[in-house]
Each structure stands twice: as C-alpha cells, then as structure tokens.
Amino acid sequence: MTCKRADYISWDEYFMGVAKLSGMRSKDPNTQVGACIVSADNKILSMGYNGFPTGCSDDEFPWDREGDDPLQTKYFYSTHSELNAILNYRGGSLEGAKIYVSLFPCNECAKAIIQSGIKEVIYDCDKYADTPAVMASKRMFAAAGVRMRRYMRSNRKVEIGL
C-alpha cells in the first residue's frame, strides 16, 4: 500500500510563500512586500503587493525614498500590499479572514485590516517594530481583537523552475 507524501508544505508555508511571491511583483527598488488574504477554511481570497495605483505609471512616478520635495518621493503615491489585497478582493466580506504579510503592517494598513473584518495577521519580518507606525498598529490590533503572530520559518527551500 502506498502512503501519502510526508514532506508537503504546511498551510503557513503555503500562504506565506504566496505572500512573498506576490511581493516579487513589486517594482519598488527598495522594498518588496506581499500579502495574501485567506478565509477561515484556508481558501485564498486575495493577494496584493506594494506599488502605484492602476493608471499611475511606475515609469513616471518617483521611487525615491528621500528628497527635499516630498512630492518627489514614493510615499504619497504607493499603495501598500495589505491595502491592495483588501481592495483587490471582489467577493464581499472579509469578516473572520487572516492575512499573511511579509512585513508587519503600518498603522494605515492596520486600520484597513481592522475595518475589513480580518481577525488575524501572520507576519514574517518586523524590522520596523520600534517605529511609531508599527507601535500604533499593534495597539490598534490588540484593542480590536485582531490576533498577531509571527510566521515561524521552517527554513525549507522551495524552488520553482519557470
């Protein structure tokens, strides 16, 4: 009798892998972030990555992080992966869903996550933990009852030949 494979990837590996693969679509030269929204029964509902809104050319808008003129930096124009994933969803309510993100959400994305009804945030990197934006996110998530947990890396190598 043949037994099933034992080395298949876990749900967390699968969904974080989809989030990270989504982030690879970002054209931002400094930061590529991906998000994957998942239903309570482990169905992918939506994905997103950081970039400019539809119709705003990524060849015409700035990618700079710093500059004397804030209008010549990316921050007024780019949309974060979490908000893109929420806005990309066309199926109705996200109540009770989870979101996998490669970088812990900022305060603006936290508000959208809470308002959309997402109840759990699974994140990989938290490199901005000491910033006011992330501290505010964590405070709002805690107050709104949104669970937060760090993705536990398995260090498994997954390679896709294209």
Side-chain angles (χ1 to χ4, degrees), residues 15-54:
F15 298 131
M16 188 58 76
V18 169
K20 288 183 174 218
L21 189 62
S22 295
M24 293 174 74
R25 283 280 312 142
S26 174
K27 296 176 183 109
D28 189 319
N30 298 299
T31 306
Q32 301 83 44
V33 181
C36 179
I37 301 175
V38 179
S39 68
D41 62 344
N42 291 323
K43 304 288 187 284
I44 294 175
L45 301 174
S46 187
M47 294 162 283
Y49 55 88
N50 59 308
F52 297 137
T54 303

mmCIF file of all heavy atoms in Angstrom, residues 15-54:
data_model
loop_
_atom_site.group_PDB
_atom_site.id
_atom_site.type_symbol
_atom_site.label_atom_id
_atom_site.label_comp_id
_atom_site.label_asym_id
_atom_site.label_seq_id
_atom_site.Cartn_x
_atom_site.Cartn_y
_atom_site.Cartn_z
ATOM 1 N N PHE A 15 0.803 29.798 2.430
ATOM 2 C CA PHE A 15 0.255 31.150 2.331
ATOM 3 C C PHE A 15 1.332 32.230 2.459
ATOM 4 O O PHE A 15 1.266 33.254 1.772
ATOM 5 C CB PHE A 15 -0.851 31.363 3.362
ATOM 6 C CG PHE A 15 -2.029 30.440 3.164
ATOM 7 C CD1 PHE A 15 -2.556 29.730 4.227
ATOM 8 C CD2 PHE A 15 -2.588 30.259 1.903
ATOM 9 C CE1 PHE A 15 -3.639 28.872 4.050
ATOM 10 C CE2 PHE A 15 -3.663 29.394 1.710
ATOM 11 C CZ PHE A 15 -4.189 28.699 2.795
ATOM 12 N N MET A 16 2.343 32.002 3.301
ATOM 13 C CA MET A 16 3.430 32.973 3.369
ATOM 14 C C MET A 16 4.229 32.930 2.065
ATOM 15 O O MET A 16 4.707 33.963 1.583
ATOM 16 C CB MET A 16 4.337 32.728 4.574
ATOM 17 C CG MET A 16 5.356 33.835 4.796
ATOM 18 S SD MET A 16 4.648 35.495 5.041
ATOM 19 C CE MET A 16 4.059 35.360 6.724
ATOM 20 N N GLY A 17 4.360 31.745 1.485
ATOM 21 C CA GLY A 17 5.022 31.636 0.187
ATOM 22 C C GLY A 17 4.282 32.416 -0.891
ATOM 23 O O GLY A 17 4.898 33.098 -1.712
ATOM 24 N N VAL A 18 2.956 32.353 -0.880
ATOM 25 C CA VAL A 18 2.155 33.119 -1.837
ATOM 26 C C VAL A 18 2.333 34.613 -1.586
ATOM 27 O O VAL A 18 2.479 35.400 -2.533
ATOM 28 C CB VAL A 18 0.668 32.705 -1.761
ATOM 29 C CG1 VAL A 18 -0.218 33.669 -2.546
ATOM 30 C CG2 VAL A 18 0.484 31.278 -2.268
ATOM 31 N N ALA A 19 2.349 35.029 -0.315
ATOM 32 C CA ALA A 19 2.559 36.450 0.012
ATOM 33 C C ALA A 19 3.926 36.908 -0.496
ATOM 34 O O ALA A 19 4.040 37.965 -1.131
ATOM 35 C CB ALA A 19 2.439 36.673 1.515
ATOM 36 N N LYS A 20 4.962 36.118 -0.245
ATOM 37 C CA LYS A 20 6.304 36.513 -0.681
ATOM 38 C C LYS A 20 6.424 36.507 -2.202
ATOM 39 O O LYS A 20 7.058 37.384 -2.781
ATOM 40 C CB LYS A 20 7.356 35.605 -0.048
ATOM 41 C CG LYS A 20 7.507 35.885 1.439
ATOM 42 C CD LYS A 20 8.599 35.046 2.046
ATOM 43 C CE LYS A 20 8.797 35.473 3.473
ATOM 44 N NZ LYS A 20 10.171 35.460 3.891
ATOM 45 N N LEU A 21 5.797 35.541 -2.859
ATOM 46 C CA LEU A 21 5.807 35.507 -4.313
ATOM 47 C C LEU A 21 5.073 36.730 -4.873
ATOM 48 O O LEU A 21 5.518 37.346 -5.836
ATOM 49 C CB LEU A 21 5.158 34.213 -4.815
ATOM 50 C CG LEU A 21 5.265 33.923 -6.301
ATOM 51 C CD1 LEU A 21 6.716 33.767 -6.742
ATOM 52 C CD2 LEU A 21 4.470 32.663 -6.639
ATOM 53 N N SER A 22 3.963 37.127 -4.237
ATOM 54 C CA SER A 22 3.241 38.334 -4.643
ATOM 55 C C SER A 22 4.140 39.559 -4.516
ATOM 56 O O SER A 22 4.150 40.426 -5.402
ATOM 57 C CB SER A 22 1.976 38.524 -3.797
ATOM 58 O OG SER A 22 1.064 37.488 -4.026
ATOM 59 N N GLY A 23 4.893 39.624 -3.431
ATOM 60 C CA GLY A 23 5.805 40.750 -3.226
ATOM 61 C C GLY A 23 6.848 40.867 -4.327
ATOM 62 O O GLY A 23 7.332 41.968 -4.616
ATOM 63 N N MET A 24 7.164 39.765 -4.972
ATOM 64 C CA MET A 24 8.143 39.785 -6.058
ATOM 65 C C MET A 24 7.611 40.497 -7.296
ATOM 66 O O MET A 24 8.364 40.816 -8.208
ATOM 67 C CB MET A 24 8.597 38.360 -6.394
ATOM 68 C CG MET A 24 9.389 37.719 -5.262
ATOM 69 S SD MET A 24 9.771 35.987 -5.562
ATOM 70 C CE MET A 24 11.047 36.157 -6.808
ATOM 71 N N ARG A 25 6.301 40.792 -7.323
ATOM 72 C CA ARG A 25 5.712 41.571 -8.423
ATOM 73 C C ARG A 25 5.970 43.065 -8.247
ATOM 74 O O ARG A 25 5.834 43.830 -9.191
ATOM 75 C CB ARG A 25 4.187 41.360 -8.476
ATOM 76 C CG ARG A 25 3.758 40.068 -9.070
ATOM 77 C CD ARG A 25 3.781 40.067 -10.583
ATOM 78 N NE ARG A 25 3.129 41.231 -11.156
ATOM 79 C CZ ARG A 25 3.563 41.883 -12.237
ATOM 80 N NH1 ARG A 25 4.639 41.482 -12.882
ATOM 81 N NH2 ARG A 25 2.921 42.941 -12.703
ATOM 82 N N SER A 26 6.331 43.495 -7.037
ATOM 83 C CA SER A 26 6.552 44.915 -6.775
ATOM 84 C C SER A 26 7.749 45.426 -7.571
ATOM 85 O O SER A 26 8.772 44.764 -7.661
ATOM 86 C CB SER A 26 6.805 45.147 -5.287
ATOM 87 O OG SER A 26 7.143 46.500 -5.058
ATOM 88 N N LYS A 27 7.598 46.627 -8.101
ATOM 89 C CA LYS A 27 8.686 47.244 -8.857
ATOM 90 C C LYS A 27 9.488 48.206 -7.995
ATOM 91 O O LYS A 27 10.419 48.846 -8.478
ATOM 92 C CB LYS A 27 8.114 47.951 -10.087
ATOM 93 C CG LYS A 27 7.471 46.951 -11.038
ATOM 94 C CD LYS A 27 6.810 47.627 -12.215
ATOM 95 C CE LYS A 27 6.133 46.590 -13.073
ATOM 96 N NZ LYS A 27 4.709 46.653 -12.995
ATOM 97 N N ASP A 28 9.135 48.315 -6.714
ATOM 98 C CA ASP A 28 9.852 49.194 -5.793
ATOM 99 C C ASP A 28 11.295 48.701 -5.664
ATOM 100 O O ASP A 28 11.528 47.547 -5.310
ATOM 101 C CB ASP A 28 9.158 49.180 -4.429
ATOM 102 C CG ASP A 28 9.696 50.215 -3.468
ATOM 103 O OD1 ASP A 28 10.932 50.409 -3.411
ATOM 104 O OD2 ASP A 28 8.895 50.823 -2.743
ATOM 105 N N PRO A 29 12.271 49.560 -5.943
ATOM 106 C CA PRO A 29 13.668 49.114 -5.899
ATOM 107 C C PRO A 29 14.197 48.858 -4.488
ATOM 108 O O PRO A 29 15.217 48.194 -4.322
ATOM 109 C CB PRO A 29 14.437 50.264 -6.561
ATOM 110 C CG PRO A 29 13.566 51.451 -6.407
ATOM 111 C CD PRO A 29 12.154 50.954 -6.397
ATOM 112 N N ASN A 30 13.500 49.356 -3.466
ATOM 113 C CA ASN A 30 13.981 49.200 -2.089
ATOM 114 C C ASN A 30 13.213 48.168 -1.275
ATOM 115 O O ASN A 30 13.812 47.425 -0.509
ATOM 116 C CB ASN A 30 13.909 50.545 -1.357
ATOM 117 C CG ASN A 30 14.788 51.577 -2.006
ATOM 118 O OD1 ASN A 30 15.990 51.398 -2.073
ATOM 119 N ND2 ASN A 30 14.198 52.646 -2.500
ATOM 120 N N THR A 31 11.916 48.147 -1.406
ATOM 121 C CA THR A 31 11.093 47.315 -0.529
ATOM 122 C C THR A 31 10.043 46.577 -1.345
ATOM 123 O O THR A 31 9.243 47.207 -2.035
ATOM 124 C CB THR A 31 10.381 48.200 0.524
ATOM 125 O OG1 THR A 31 11.361 48.983 1.204
ATOM 126 C CG2 THR A 31 9.633 47.354 1.535
ATOM 127 N N GLN A 32 10.043 45.270 -1.253
ATOM 128 C CA GLN A 32 9.024 44.455 -1.909
ATOM 129 C C GLN A 32 8.242 43.718 -0.828
ATOM 130 O O GLN A 32 8.818 42.909 -0.105
ATOM 131 C CB GLN A 32 9.638 43.443 -2.874
ATOM 132 C CG GLN A 32 10.471 44.062 -3.991
ATOM 133 C CD GLN A 32 11.892 44.379 -3.561
ATOM 134 O OE1 GLN A 32 12.543 43.589 -2.901
ATOM 135 N NE2 GLN A 32 12.373 45.556 -3.911
ATOM 136 N N VAL A 33 6.960 44.034 -0.727
ATOM 137 C CA VAL A 33 6.116 43.438 0.305
ATOM 138 C C VAL A 33 4.920 42.786 -0.361
ATOM 139 O O VAL A 33 4.330 43.349 -1.283
ATOM 140 C CB VAL A 33 5.644 44.493 1.328
ATOM 141 C CG1 VAL A 33 4.782 43.852 2.420
ATOM 142 C CG2 VAL A 33 6.831 45.209 1.952
ATOM 143 N N GLY A 34 4.561 41.601 0.108
ATOM 144 C CA GLY A 34 3.400 40.892 -0.416
ATOM 145 C C GLY A 34 2.433 40.534 0.694
ATOM 146 O O GLY A 34 2.813 40.425 1.859
ATOM 147 N N ALA A 35 1.165 40.359 0.300
ATOM 148 C CA ALA A 35 0.116 39.985 1.243
ATOM 149 C C ALA A 35 -0.799 38.950 0.590
ATOM 150 O O ALA A 35 -1.015 38.973 -0.625
ATOM 151 C CB ALA A 35 -0.695 41.213 1.646
ATOM 152 N N CYS A 36 -1.323 38.059 1.408
ATOM 153 C CA CYS A 36 -2.252 37.026 0.951
ATOM 154 C C CYS A 36 -3.360 36.904 1.994
ATOM 155 O O CYS A 36 -3.085 36.620 3.166
ATOM 156 C CB CYS A 36 -1.505 35.700 0.793
ATOM 157 S SG CYS A 36 -2.539 34.318 0.272
ATOM 158 N N ILE A 37 -4.594 37.161 1.572
ATOM 159 C CA ILE A 37 -5.752 37.054 2.475
ATOM 160 C C ILE A 37 -6.373 35.682 2.290
ATOM 161 O O ILE A 37 -6.592 35.232 1.165
ATOM 162 C CB ILE A 37 -6.779 38.163 2.200
ATOM 163 C CG1 ILE A 37 -6.144 39.545 2.384
ATOM 164 C CG2 ILE A 37 -7.991 38.002 3.124
ATOM 165 C CD1 ILE A 37 -7.047 40.705 2.013
ATOM 166 N N VAL A 38 -6.663 35.024 3.425
ATOM 167 C CA VAL A 38 -7.115 33.641 3.439
ATOM 168 C C VAL A 38 -8.368 33.517 4.297
ATOM 169 O O VAL A 38 -8.453 34.118 5.379
ATOM 170 C CB VAL A 38 -5.993 32.736 4.017
ATOM 171 C CG1 VAL A 38 -6.426 31.284 4.067
ATOM 172 C CG2 VAL A 38 -4.713 32.893 3.218
ATOM 173 N N SER A 39 -9.328 32.739 3.836
ATOM 174 C CA SER A 39 -10.556 32.500 4.609
ATOM 175 C C SER A 39 -10.276 31.574 5.784
ATOM 176 O O SER A 39 -9.218 30.937 5.858
ATOM 177 C CB SER A 39 -11.628 31.875 3.713
ATOM 178 O OG SER A 39 -11.251 30.562 3.348
ATOM 179 N N ALA A 40 -11.250 31.475 6.675
ATOM 180 C CA ALA A 40 -11.115 30.609 7.846
ATOM 181 C C ALA A 40 -10.926 29.149 7.447
ATOM 182 O O ALA A 40 -10.328 28.373 8.197
ATOM 183 C CB ALA A 40 -12.336 30.764 8.750
ATOM 184 N N ASP A 41 -11.424 28.771 6.266
ATOM 185 C CA ASP A 41 -11.268 27.382 5.819
ATOM 186 C C ASP A 41 -10.133 27.220 4.793
ATOM 187 O O ASP A 41 -10.151 26.322 3.960
ATOM 188 C CB ASP A 41 -12.595 26.824 5.285
ATOM 189 C CG ASP A 41 -13.120 27.581 4.075
ATOM 190 O OD1 ASP A 41 -12.649 28.719 3.809
ATOM 191 O OD2 ASP A 41 -14.003 27.041 3.381
ATOM 192 N N ASN A 42 -9.136 28.118 4.902
ATOM 193 C CA ASN A 42 -7.892 28.012 4.129
ATOM 194 C C ASN A 42 -8.064 28.106 2.611
ATOM 195 O O ASN A 42 -7.405 27.384 1.861
ATOM 196 C CB ASN A 42 -7.121 26.741 4.503
ATOM 197 C CG ASN A 42 -6.579 26.829 5.900
ATOM 198 O OD1 ASN A 42 -6.161 27.890 6.344
ATOM 199 N ND2 ASN A 42 -6.595 25.720 6.617
ATOM 200 N N LYS A 43 -8.896 29.028 2.184
ATOM 201 C CA LYS A 43 -9.031 29.335 0.763
ATOM 202 C C LYS A 43 -8.441 30.718 0.524
ATOM 203 O O LYS A 43 -8.727 31.654 1.269
ATOM 204 C CB LYS A 43 -10.503 29.346 0.322
ATOM 205 C CG LYS A 43 -11.265 28.071 0.620
ATOM 206 C CD LYS A 43 -10.848 26.936 -0.274
ATOM 207 C CE LYS A 43 -11.698 25.714 -0.116
ATOM 208 N NZ LYS A 43 -11.453 24.916 1.060
ATOM 209 N N ILE A 44 -7.622 30.865 -0.506
ATOM 210 C CA ILE A 44 -7.050 32.170 -0.831
ATOM 211 C C ILE A 44 -8.158 33.060 -1.395
ATOM 212 O O ILE A 44 -8.851 32.685 -2.345
ATOM 213 C CB ILE A 44 -5.893 32.042 -1.838
ATOM 214 C CG1 ILE A 44 -4.717 31.287 -1.194
ATOM 215 C CG2 ILE A 44 -5.445 33.418 -2.329
ATOM 216 C CD1 ILE A 44 -3.564 31.004 -2.130
ATOM 217 N N LEU A 45 -8.313 34.237 -0.778
ATOM 218 C CA LEU A 45 -9.342 35.185 -1.198
ATOM 219 C C LEU A 45 -8.776 36.303 -2.063
ATOM 220 O O LEU A 45 -9.438 36.785 -2.977
ATOM 221 C CB LEU A 45 -10.030 35.787 0.029
ATOM 222 C CG LEU A 45 -10.708 34.789 0.963
ATOM 223 C CD1 LEU A 45 -11.226 35.493 2.214
ATOM 224 C CD2 LEU A 45 -11.831 34.059 0.239
ATOM 225 N N SER A 46 -7.564 36.744 -1.749
ATOM 226 C CA SER A 46 -6.977 37.861 -2.474
ATOM 227 C C SER A 46 -5.487 37.946 -2.182
ATOM 228 O O SER A 46 -5.009 37.388 -1.195
ATOM 229 C CB SER A 46 -7.667 39.169 -2.061
ATOM 230 O OG SER A 46 -7.234 40.242 -2.857
ATOM 231 N N MET A 47 -4.794 38.685 -3.049
ATOM 232 C CA MET A 47 -3.367 38.921 -2.877
ATOM 233 C C MET A 47 -3.062 40.354 -3.261
ATOM 234 O O MET A 47 -3.851 40.993 -3.965
ATOM 235 C CB MET A 47 -2.554 37.977 -3.765
ATOM 236 C CG MET A 47 -2.682 36.519 -3.361
ATOM 237 S SD MET A 47 -2.171 35.412 -4.669
ATOM 238 C CE MET A 47 -3.555 35.480 -5.759
ATOM 239 N N GLY A 48 -1.919 40.843 -2.807
ATOM 240 C CA GLY A 48 -1.513 42.188 -3.182
ATOM 241 C C GLY A 48 -0.034 42.386 -2.950
ATOM 242 O O GLY A 48 0.613 41.600 -2.257
ATOM 243 N N TYR A 49 0.480 43.440 -3.557
ATOM 244 C CA TYR A 49 1.877 43.826 -3.367
ATOM 245 C C TYR A 49 1.946 45.342 -3.420
ATOM 246 O O TYR A 49 1.015 46.001 -3.874
ATOM 247 C CB TYR A 49 2.799 43.170 -4.406
ATOM 248 C CG TYR A 49 2.418 43.416 -5.841
ATOM 249 C CD1 TYR A 49 2.882 44.541 -6.541
ATOM 250 C CD2 TYR A 49 1.578 42.536 -6.522
ATOM 251 C CE1 TYR A 49 2.540 44.764 -7.860
ATOM 252 C CE2 TYR A 49 1.233 42.756 -7.839
ATOM 253 C CZ TYR A 49 1.708 43.866 -8.497
ATOM 254 O OH TYR A 49 1.359 44.097 -9.806
ATOM 255 N N ASN A 50 3.053 45.904 -2.940
ATOM 256 C CA ASN A 50 3.186 47.358 -2.909
ATOM 257 C C ASN A 50 3.519 47.909 -4.288
ATOM 258 O O ASN A 50 4.336 47.358 -5.008
ATOM 259 C CB ASN A 50 4.223 47.799 -1.864
ATOM 260 C CG ASN A 50 5.612 47.226 -2.107
ATOM 261 O OD1 ASN A 50 5.792 46.024 -2.276
ATOM 262 N ND2 ASN A 50 6.611 48.093 -2.114
ATOM 263 N N GLY A 51 2.831 48.991 -4.621
ATOM 264 C CA GLY A 51 3.055 49.635 -5.911
ATOM 265 C C GLY A 51 2.121 50.809 -6.092
ATOM 266 O O GLY A 51 1.373 51.172 -5.183
ATOM 267 N N PHE A 52 2.146 51.392 -7.262
ATOM 268 C CA PHE A 52 1.316 52.561 -7.547
ATOM 269 C C PHE A 52 -0.083 52.138 -7.985
ATOM 270 O O PHE A 52 -0.271 51.045 -8.530
ATOM 271 C CB PHE A 52 1.968 53.421 -8.627
ATOM 272 C CG PHE A 52 3.301 53.985 -8.228
ATOM 273 C CD1 PHE A 52 4.362 53.990 -9.107
ATOM 274 C CD2 PHE A 52 3.503 54.506 -6.953
ATOM 275 C CE1 PHE A 52 5.599 54.509 -8.744
ATOM 276 C CE2 PHE A 52 4.734 55.026 -6.575
ATOM 277 C CZ PHE A 52 5.782 55.030 -7.477
ATOM 278 N N PRO A 53 -1.073 53.010 -7.782
ATOM 279 C CA PRO A 53 -2.445 52.690 -8.192
ATOM 280 C C PRO A 53 -2.540 52.482 -9.710
ATOM 281 O O PRO A 53 -1.738 53.027 -10.485
ATOM 282 C CB PRO A 53 -3.243 53.933 -7.785
ATOM 283 C CG PRO A 53 -2.423 54.586 -6.727
ATOM 284 C CD PRO A 53 -0.997 54.291 -7.078
ATOM 285 N N THR A 54 -3.516 51.721 -10.106
ATOM 286 C CA THR A 54 -3.782 51.482 -11.518
ATOM 287 C C THR A 54 -3.893 52.813 -12.256
ATOM 288 O O THR A 54 -4.567 53.726 -11.784
ATOM 289 C CB THR A 54 -5.098 50.688 -11.679
ATOM 290 O OG1 THR A 54 -4.980 49.477 -10.938
ATOM 291 C CG2 THR A 54 -5.387 50.376 -13.141
#
